């Protein structure tokens, strides 16, 4: 199919109805490039340039400066709701600039002996202009607000569908750049070119925007590509090595990098709060907790103030989660310490990875290749070129187009080779399973390519196997025996059983034993199920046991956002209470959830803050709050160190030290005994079972009834005695006793809503 409509633009909000784009074709671009030189027309900002450029320029013919305004692309039809952005002052000249034609690959900005090469893909563009902003040291201060514009010649600077040029004499760093691209204006065919907009290079390895996170004095900051070819290669150290943790041994900690240390209670210097370096300072906490992998919410460049660019009900919000990627190659520049910018962000990201690896902790990135505000998207040409919406944002990435596939693969390889990351979690990954028309594919090319790519062979690859268009693929995600999945059925079934829903015992048993009904196919393993009760979207663990209903009024959407299907239970009162009995029950329930998670076959994942009981006050969609709703509260952690945190940490370490809880195969009848003859009774909410492994048995019982259950305790293995390690009904430190408390009785009374773990020991 020729002329597949895809968008490449700067959207100022992810719900934009007026994007610009550069369409793609399914044909492969021609890669030939000639070596000849050319003279091309150049536009220079204002009137004067310094000697650095005078060796490239031969004559100047001045013309009138022009200044114009462009309406925000979010909605060009509504004048009163749009901020105006001035085009940079430009001077039209016939000033010749001696440049070489450049080469088509690599895409983006690269450097060689000829200078800096710029290459960008666009199938339908009729005009491409490279816009350069050079450091003040290169030209005099009179022109510091302007840009140099180099108009490319389609006869010389184009190979196939790739436009390219090489510029001599540019500095090795500090140059910001973008593109003005023009082409057909045929809306009904999906063409939305607008050369007044300076576009961000999708292959830019670094992106520069505002300097400090959430700086409201710079709401309409422009985002441009930049580069740093002068820094020395990063020193990973002589004894550095990748953790390469087996998937059976992973315990994942999902965390928001900024929110982890942004709060004053972190005790960090203001300059490193919310930064890559801030994470390094808190590695001792991660080690004390016991996790060995961090799954970072998006750390690709995004605009945290995208909601504040025009008046709207969400214009008080700051995008804290980051699910609005602008570029797939550049680390978030405002996560650098002390406003360190793009180069600082790149270096400090590597420092963070290096430090985490030295601590034996892997780094998994949450990546958003399903939608973005600078990208190529699906359109429906049968309906006025409407953007197809499988992401909830209206701008779905056309992942299985050959050019977009290569963009995604190049991005993934970049993060593995340049930044040494250990894996990826793909947000709304079902989008990657759709064809160019949005229809589901049985064998999506991009999913297979990721699974088979040699550069990614050591990486953990994890799918969120659903999207907002209803393509729910839990247990059915195309996988090539490589892809793991966020197991949404695990989350729902565990929540429902622990809170006491009827007819959930069988499902609970299936989930804690590895979800064989979903994953025992071909060569898939239990660890391909990423087990979780809590994730970033939805209730925190504390809120799961404290709220029956979401409370999202602070989001500005009148409580209509966020899911209503939370399977939560407030334990008798909605929200905060001083009732000791209710608070005790909530504490017990949080421990029950954690026990279930840590004894389940598969890969456990927990959320940052649940180790002390973080609350978002019932907000189950807190993406836009850069405050205590999302920020880790270190003072609260200290207050819970000897109780809640201690239990969570000890339970994680118990899992690490007991291989019986993390098989690399599915359980057989020889591995588990179910102490149950009441499977068919929907009102039965008690389950007990024993895991077997060479006499090192573990007995587990979960009581989701609101009354005491007297459990029959099985005979321990020969020459062994049961030792009670966990009883969630007991207060700390008796709720978890590492060495175990000997127990020789025939029965054990399980309190309402409690769980017990016993270990067979000599």
């Amino acid at each position: 199919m020729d002329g597949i409509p895809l968008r490449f633009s700067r959207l100022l909000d992810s719900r934009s109805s007026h994007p610009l784009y550069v369409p793609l074709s399914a044909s492969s671009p021609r890669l030939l490039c000639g070596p000849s030189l050319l003279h091309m027309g150049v536009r220079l900002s204002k009137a004067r340039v310094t000697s650095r450029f005078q060796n490239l320029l031969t004559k100047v013919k001045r013309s009138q400066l022009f200044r114009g305004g462009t309406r925000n692309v979010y909605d060009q039809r509504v004048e009163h709701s749009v901020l105006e952005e001035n085009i940079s002052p430009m001077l039209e000249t016939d000033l010749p600039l001696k440049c070489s034609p450049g080469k088509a690959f690599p895409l983006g900005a690269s450097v060689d002996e000829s200078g800096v090469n710029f290459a960008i893909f666009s199938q339908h563009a009729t005009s491409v202009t490279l816009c350069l902003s050079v450091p003040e040291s290169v030209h005099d201060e009179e022109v510091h607000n302007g840009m140099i514009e180099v108009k490319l010649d389609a006869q010389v600077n184009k190979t196939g569908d790739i436009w390219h040029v090489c510029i001599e004499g540019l500095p090795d760093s500090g140059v910001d750049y973008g593109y003005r691209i023009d082409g057909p204006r045929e809306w009904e065919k999906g063409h939305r070119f607008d050369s007044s907009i300076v576009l961000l290079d999708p292959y830019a390895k670094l992106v520069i925007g505002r300097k400090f996170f959430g700086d409201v004095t710079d709401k309409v900051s422009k985002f441009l590509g930049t580069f740093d070819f002068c820094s020395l290669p990063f020193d990973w150290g002589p004894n550095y090595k990748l953790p390469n943790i087996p998937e059976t041994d992973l315990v994942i900690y999902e965390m928001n990098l900024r929110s982890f240390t942004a709060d004053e209670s972190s005790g960090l210097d203001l300059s490193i709060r919310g930064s890559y370096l801030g994470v390094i300072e808190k590695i001792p906490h991660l080690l004390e907790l016991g996790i060995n992998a961090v799954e970072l919410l998006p750390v690709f460049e995004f605009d945290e103030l995208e909601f504040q660019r025009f008046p709207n009900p969400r214009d008080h919000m700051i995008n804290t989660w980051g699910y609005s990627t602008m570029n797939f190659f550049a680390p978030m520049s405002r996560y650098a310490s002390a406003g360190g910018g793009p180069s600082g962000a790149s270096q400090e990201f590597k420092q963070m990875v290096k430090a985490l690896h030295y601590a034996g902790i892997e780094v998994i990135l949450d990546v958003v290749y399903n939608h973005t505000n600078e990208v190529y998207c699906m359109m429906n040409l049968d309906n006025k070129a409407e953007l197809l919406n499988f992401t909830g944002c209206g701008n779905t990435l056309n992942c299985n187009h050959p050019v977009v596939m290569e963009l995604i693969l190049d991005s993934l390889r970049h993060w593995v080779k340049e930044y040494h990351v250990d894996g990826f979690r793909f947000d709304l990954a079902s989008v990657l399973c759709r064809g160019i028309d949005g229809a589901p594919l049985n064998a999506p090319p991009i999913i297979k390519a990721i699974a088979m790519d040699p550069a990614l062979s050591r990486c953990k690859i994890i799918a969120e196997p659903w999207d907002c268009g209803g393509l729910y693929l839990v247990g059915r995600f195309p996988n090539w025996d490589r892809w793991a999945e966020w197991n949404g059925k695990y989350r729902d079934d565990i929540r429902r059983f622990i809170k006491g829903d009827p007819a959930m015992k069988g499902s609970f048993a299936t989930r804690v034993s590895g979800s064989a009904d979903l994953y025992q196919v071909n060569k898939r393993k239990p660890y391909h199920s990423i087990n979780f009760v809590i994730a970033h979207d939805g209730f925190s663990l504390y809120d799961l046991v404290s709220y029956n209903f979401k409370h999202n009024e602070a989001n500005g959407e009148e409580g209509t956002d966020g899911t209503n299907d939370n399977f939560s239970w407030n334990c008798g009162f909605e929200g905060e209470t001083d009732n000791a009995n209710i608070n005790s029950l909530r504490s017990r329930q949080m421990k029950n959830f954690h026990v279930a998670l840590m004894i389940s076959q598969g890969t456990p994942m927990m959320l940052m803050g649940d180790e002390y009981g973080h609350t978002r006050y019932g907000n189950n969609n807190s993406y836009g709050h850069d405050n205590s709703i999302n920020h880790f509260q270190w003072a609260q952690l200290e207050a819970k160190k000897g109780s809640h945190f201690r239990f969570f940490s000890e339970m994680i370490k118990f899992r690490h030290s007991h291989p019986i809880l993390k098989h690399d195969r599915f359980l057989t009848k020889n591995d588990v005994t179910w102490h149950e003859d009441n499977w068919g009774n929907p009102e039965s909410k008690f389950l007990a079972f024993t895991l077997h492994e060479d006499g090192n048995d573990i007995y587990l019982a979960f009581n989701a009834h609101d009354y005491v259950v007297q459990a029959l305790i099985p005979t321990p293995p020969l020459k062994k005695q049961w030792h009670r390690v966990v009883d969630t009904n007991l207060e700390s430190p008796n709720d978890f006793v590492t060495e175990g408390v000997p127990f020789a009785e025939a029965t054990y009374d399980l309190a309402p809503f409690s769980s017990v773990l016993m270990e067979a020991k000599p």
Side-chain angles (χ1 to χ4, degrees), residues 380-443:
N380 180 4
L381 292 184
D382 295 328
N383 187 22
K384 299 180 180 179
E386 177 188 27
L387 290 172
L388 296 179
N389 183 11
F390 302 113
T391 65
C393 300
N395 47 331
T396 304
L397 183 61
N398 198 339
C399 302
N400 284 294
H401 185 282
V403 173
V404 183
M405 280 180 56
E406 199 59 34
L407 172 69
I408 294 172
L409 289 168
D410 285 344
S411 166
L412 294 170
R413 295 168 188 143
H414 177 70
W415 287 98
V416 171
K417 294 177 181 179
E418 182 73 15
Y419 293 101
H420 292 200
V421 302
D422 304 287
F424 304 92
R425 177 265 187 189
F426 292 77
D427 182 63
L428 297 181
S430 289
V431 166
L432 281 70
C433 298
R434 294 183 182 273
I436 57 177
D437 60 354
L441 302 173
N442 291 326

Side-chain angles (χ1 to χ4, degrees), residues 459-477:
C459 294
K460 281 75 177 178
I461 50 176
I462 302 168
E464 182 183 35
W466 52 81
D467 64 19
C468 295
L471 189 55
Y472 190 78
L473 295 175
V474 173
R476 300 183 295 112
F477 193 86

Side-chain angles (χ1 to χ4, degrees), residues 479-750:
N479 57 82
W480 285 270
D481 298 322
R482 279 273 284 129
W483 283 81
E485 301 175 19
W486 269 26
N487 189 345
K489 292 185 178 180
Y490 178 96
R491 172 199 59 207
D492 296 345
D493 291 347
I494 299 299
R495 286 185 179 192
R496 294 185 64 191
F497 176 81
I498 294 294
K499 81 183 187 73
D501 281 1
M504 291 305 301
K505 180 163 61 176
S507 296
F508 179 79
T510 299
R511 299 295 157 242
V512 298
S513 57
S515 295
D517 62 325
L518 301 175
Y519 300 109
Q520 196 170 11
V521 179
N522 299 326
K523 296 180 181 179
R524 301 195 86 182
K525 305 293 184 182
Y527 54 70
H528 287 129
S529 171
I530 306 299
N531 299 331
F532 67 104
V533 178
I534 302 296
H536 66 275
D537 48 356
F539 283 145
S540 68
L541 184 59
Y542 178 88
D543 290 355
L544 185 70
V545 300
S546 303
Y547 294 90
N548 285 350
F549 308 100
K550 66 184 182 184
H551 295 268
N552 295 358
E553 293 76 17
N555 296 354
E557 298 187 56
E558 299 181 348
T560 60
D561 64 308
T563 182
N564 294 316
D565 301 321
N566 298 294
F567 301 121
S568 61
W569 176 45
N570 64 18
C571 297
F573 186 85
E574 187 74 358
E576 297 296 311
T577 179
D578 293 329
N579 186 297
N581 291 331
I582 290 176
N583 286 330
S584 177
L585 175 56
R586 289 174 176 176
S587 174
R588 198 155 69 243
Q589 286 289 75
M590 286 190 284
K591 290 188 286 186
N592 291 335
F593 280 119
H594 192 59
V595 170
L597 180 63
M598 290 301 151
I599 61 88
S600 293
Q601 304 296 322
T603 303
M605 181 188 79
M606 65 173 292
L607 177 66
M608 173 188 94
D610 284 347
E611 67 266 39
Y612 66 82
H614 182 85
T615 181
R616 296 172 179 160
Y617 307 101
N619 193 322
N620 73 352
N621 193 29
S622 64
Y623 64 94
H625 298 285
D626 187 40
N627 53 36
S628 61
I629 291 178
N630 283 311
H631 292 176
F632 195 99
Q633 299 298 297
W634 293 92
Q636 292 183 29
L637 171 69
E638 286 302 314
K640 297 292 182 68
K641 268 293 184 72
S643 53
H644 185 100
F645 174 83
R646 174 186 172 275
F647 184 92
F648 272 54
S649 174
E650 292 293 343
M651 197 67 228
I652 293 171
K653 293 169 184 174
F654 185 88
R655 178 183 177 85
H656 283 313
S657 62
H658 290 78
I660 194 174
L661 301 177
K662 45 184 181 176
H663 285 293
D664 62 358
R665 57 175 176 78
F666 289 94
L667 300 181
T668 69
K669 62 181 180 180
N670 296 322
D671 297 317
V672 59
T673 298
W674 302 100
H675 307 298
E676 182 60 57
D677 56 8
N678 205 14
W679 292 106
N681 181 359
E683 296 304 318
S684 177
K685 304 174 185 179
F686 176 85
L687 181 67
F689 56 98
T690 300
L691 298 172
H692 307 290
E693 188 173 72
D694 300 326
N696 299 312
D697 291 6
I698 291 178
Y699 170 84
L700 289 145
F702 294 86
N703 180 20
H705 287 290
D706 58 2
Y707 52 82
V708 173
V709 171
Q710 188 177 72
L712 294 173
I713 304 300
T715 303
L718 185 65
K719 297 182 180 180
K720 297 287 183 71
Q721 182 182 8
W722 291 116
H723 288 68
R724 189 201 74 229
V725 177
V726 171
D727 185 342
T728 60
N729 183 55
L730 301 177
E731 296 295 323
S732 183
N734 297 317
D735 53 357
F736 192 105
V737 180
T738 304
E739 65 277 12
V741 177
F743 184 83
E745 304 297 323
T747 62
Y748 192 96
D749 290 342
L750 269 80

Side-chain angles (χ1 to χ4, degrees), residues 347-391:
Q347 291 297 308
E348 292 178 10
F349 189 100
K350 293 171 185 176
Q351 292 178 44
M352 177 191 70
V353 172
K354 178 180 177 180
L356 287 166
H357 282 179
Y358 269 115
I361 298 172
E362 291 196 336
V363 179
I364 299 170
L365 302 186
D366 191 335
V367 291
V368 189
Y369 295 114
N370 60 75
H371 76 281
T372 179
N373 49 8
E374 295 267 4
V375 82
Y376 308 97
C377 291
M378 299 178 187
M379 288 185 177
N380 180 4
L381 292 184
D382 295 328
N383 187 22
K384 299 180 180 179
E386 177 188 27
L387 290 172
L388 296 179
N389 183 11
F390 302 113
T391 65

Side-chain angles (χ1 to χ4, degrees), residues 44-45 47-57 97 116 132-148 167-176 227:
L44 290 179
S45 56
R48 296 162 51 201
V49 292
T50 60
S51 58
R52 179 75 181 268
F53 278 95
Q54 287 172 352
N55 65 332
L56 299 176
L57 311 176
L97 173 62
V116 179
L132 298 169
S133 177
V134 297
E136 293 182 19
S137 60
V138 174
H139 53 65
D140 66 31
E141 61 184 19
E142 182 182 347
V143 297
H144 74 279
N145 284 326
M147 299 189 82
I148 298 170
I167 309 291
E168 301 176 31
L170 285 177
D172 289 334
S173 65
V175 175
D176 307 334
F227 48 79

